[in-house]
Amino acid sequence: MTFRSLIASALALALCATAQAAPAVGPADLSGLARDVDRAESVRAVKDLQRTYAQYSQFGLWHEMAALFTADGVADFGDGPAIQGRDAIARALIQAFGSGGLKPGQFHTQLIEEPLVNLAPDGEHAQGRWYGFYLLADGKGGASLEGGVYENDYAREGGRWKIAALRFHPQYAGPYETGWTNWKGQPIGLVPYHHTADQAGMPDLGASGPAPAARAAPLQLAQRIQALVDAQTVRNLQNAYGYYVDRRRWDDVTDLFASDGAVEVSGVGIYRGKAGVRRAMERMGPEGLTHGILNDHLMFDTVVTVSPGGREAFARGIELGMIGDADRDAARWEVTVFRNRFVKEGGLWKLRELRLYPHIRADYALGWGKSRLVEPAPDAAAAPDQREATPTADQQEQVIAAFLGPDPGAGAPVAIPAGYRLAATTPLTGPIPAPAPAARAATP
């Protein structure tokens, strides 16, 4: 079922749920729609699961990563024998990287994107193909790059989607200084696809058998459909922000914000209102790209949640910045975690809080193994409304922007390792006001 047909069904269900409207769908139609909604939510849940895996990896949350697997789940990282079972997977990660999160100077950012997910007819299993690109550092001055393809299996266990089998097929790797080469110097073969060519554009391969009796009321289904649509709209808004920033289109960026929007750049300060948003953007330079300027900010591993009621939403992900000025022979890498808040105003989603937590800033020539930069204070023209203390590079790496919910594998709050600081736990702006009640028609 497409989003367009889901929206049409949501409107019909909303009318059906009112006391005055005649039933618009029968029990069989309602059961079929309930199954379609569950299947659409399942595809979204599988994608969020894999992106959460990448978000946990960035801070060495090995136990949380292992909890994303089924009880007998398998992890094949491509450099040794496959590991089976959650506890064994956690032990293997700790043995490789150490316990208690990453050590100072270690860097383990996984950018896992380009999902091609197919939900099986039974609705309880799925398969997914992803591209993985790793930025790594050992904490001793060494940095490296690694990339390859995932071909993964997923299963629903105890009502939660889990990774049943993670299979990473490494294709290249190498030190930052000298660049990458074929994995272990071997020829790179084609990683087999889990789907046929006809199935590539079918995230849902179609349900099998009759739909079980619907357990949700029509209005609940309508709200779940709307939440799916809202989440996709918020994701599009987040991506639009990234495209505008790439081209330094500050007028367009500012238009994405609510009138009472705010921007926080950790270690710099907080900017408030439309004028503040514009000043925050101009930290990166004036409107428009000029000769030799590179200002790319790529969004990865983005997870979106929509709050009950559909008036508020959040997005958390990883931003890879490639910043340069060819005329000055200067360039740097930036890796930033964003945790943003959105509000629906008059039926239109807007950014209300843009919160940026720089994780790594490194000189391009030296790489992130040997270089750690701290963003300088902005000049007076781009000064924040509220300043923040500038962290050291080590302190910057030990800040974790709050995740958007409990661990989707275990359903428990994420345990933050000792020495790390949890940020973005309280909003920058006030509560989202409830919509005004609809006016009642006068009784004749």
Side-chain angles (χ1 to χ4, degrees):
M1 174 174 279
T2 65
F3 270 119
R4 182 175 295 178
S5 59
L6 281 175
I7 294 171
S9 299
L11 293 174
L13 286 173
L15 290 172
C16 176
T18 63
Q20 295 82 9
V25 293
D29 293 330
L30 188 63
S31 296
L33 180 61
R35 179 170 64 180
D36 288 340
V37 172
D38 178 76
R39 294 178 71 85
E41 291 172 335
S42 292
V43 172
R44 186 70 56 77
V46 166
K47 293 180 181 180
D48 286 348
L49 174 68
Q50 192 64 62
R51 289 165 173 149
T52 300
Y53 172 94
Q55 291 189 14
Y56 290 169
S57 169
Q58 189 178 29
F59 294 99
L61 303 177
W62 314 127
H63 289 287
E64 284 73 13
M65 290 173 67
L68 301 178
F69 287 78
T70 59
D72 60 350
V74 174
D76 183 349
F77 298 112
D79 56 357
I83 307 159
Q84 185 167 18
R86 281 193 287 255
D87 291 342
I89 293 170
R91 286 196 301 271
L93 291 169
I94 291 171
Q95 183 177 358
F97 301 104
S99 61
L102 297 175
K103 300 300 183 286
Q106 284 185 315
F107 191 40
H108 200 262
T109 292
Q110 298 191 14
L111 307 176
I112 304 177
E113 272 300 343
E114 298 185 20
L116 203 166
V117 173
N118 299 99
L119 183 69
D122 66 3
E124 299 297 316
H125 299 83
Q127 293 178 291
R129 187 182 183 94
W130 302 75
Y131 180 75
F133 179 60
Y134 301 170
L135 291 77
L136 310 172
D138 59 11
K140 302 174 184 178
S144 61
L145 299 159
E146 186 176 328
V149 174
Y150 286 95
E151 269 288 349
N152 297 344
D153 296 339
Y154 305 88
R156 188 146 45 180
E157 181 183 75
R160 299 179 185 276
W161 279 98
K162 304 284 187 72
I163 302 171
L166 181 143
R167 307 182 192 90
F168 181 62
H169 300 265
Q171 295 182 314
Y172 60 87
Y176 183 83
E177 289 81 2
T178 58
W180 58 71
T181 185
N182 285 11
W183 177 255
K184 296 186 177 179
Q186 300 298 314
I188 301 300
L190 177 68
V191 178
Y193 291 84
H194 69 264
H195 56 81
T196 66
D198 291 341
Q199 294 170 336
M202 298 174 60
D204 185 346
L205 296 181
S208 61
R215 296 182 179 180
L219 184 57
Q220 291 175 324
L221 284 178
Q223 291 169 340
R224 287 166 60 188
I225 293 169
Q226 187 60 55
L228 285 166
V229 175
D230 285 339
Q232 187 59 47
T233 304
V234 167
R235 183 179 294 277
N236 289 346
L237 178 59
Q238 178 66 55
N239 291 341
Y241 161 83
Y243 284 118
Y244 293 160
V245 169
D246 291 349
R247 311 304 294 179
R248 286 189 180 176
R249 293 172 56 176
W250 305 146
D251 289 340
D252 294 320
V253 171
T254 305
D255 286 343
L256 298 178
F257 280 78
S259 58
D260 58 350
V263 175
E264 178 187 25
V265 182
S266 180
V268 176
I270 299 172
Y271 299 79
R272 298 187 181 277
K274 293 271 192 176
V277 170
R278 180 59 183 257
R279 290 201 315 279
M281 296 302 109
E282 289 179 344
R283 293 168 31 256
M284 295 180 251
E287 171 92 9
L289 293 182
T290 54
H291 182 271
I293 295 295
L294 178 68
N295 197 55
D296 280 3
H297 294 73
L298 284 66
M299 309 291 168
F300 295 93
D301 303 319
T302 302
V303 175
V304 174
T305 61
V306 177
S307 300
R311 298 273 301 162
E312 183 178 23
F314 295 87
R316 187 186 189 281
I318 301 171
E319 177 185 293
L320 175 64
M322 295 178 286
I323 318 299
D325 185 342
D327 294 342
R328 294 176 53 235
D329 197 25
R332 68 179 182 273
W333 295 98
E334 293 183 356
V335 175
T336 301
V337 177
F338 60 86
R339 190 187 192 279
N340 300 337
R341 186 186 186 196
F342 302 80
V343 61
K344 185 184 281 187
E345 293 183 340
L348 189 65
W349 282 101
K350 296 286 188 73
L351 257 167
R352 194 175 195 191
E353 297 177 11
L354 176 71
R355 309 187 74 170
L356 305 174
Y357 296 88
H359 186 57
I360 292 291
R361 299 177 87 246
D363 180 83
Y364 177 83
L366 297 175
W368 49 81
K370 295 182 172 64
S371 171
R372 288 292 191 274
L373 305 176
V374 174
E375 185 167 359
D379 59 28
D385 297 293
Q386 178 181 333
R387 291 188 180 275
E388 293 184 358
T390 301
T392 65
D394 285 346
Q395 290 171 336
Q396 197 167 260
E397 294 173 35
Q398 302 299 304
V399 174
I400 300 179
F403 297 99
L404 297 189
D407 183 335
V414 177
I416 302 302
Y420 284 78
R421 178 174 70 85
L422 194 62
T425 56
T426 57
L428 294 176
T429 56
I432 306 297
R440 289 177 173 267
T443 303

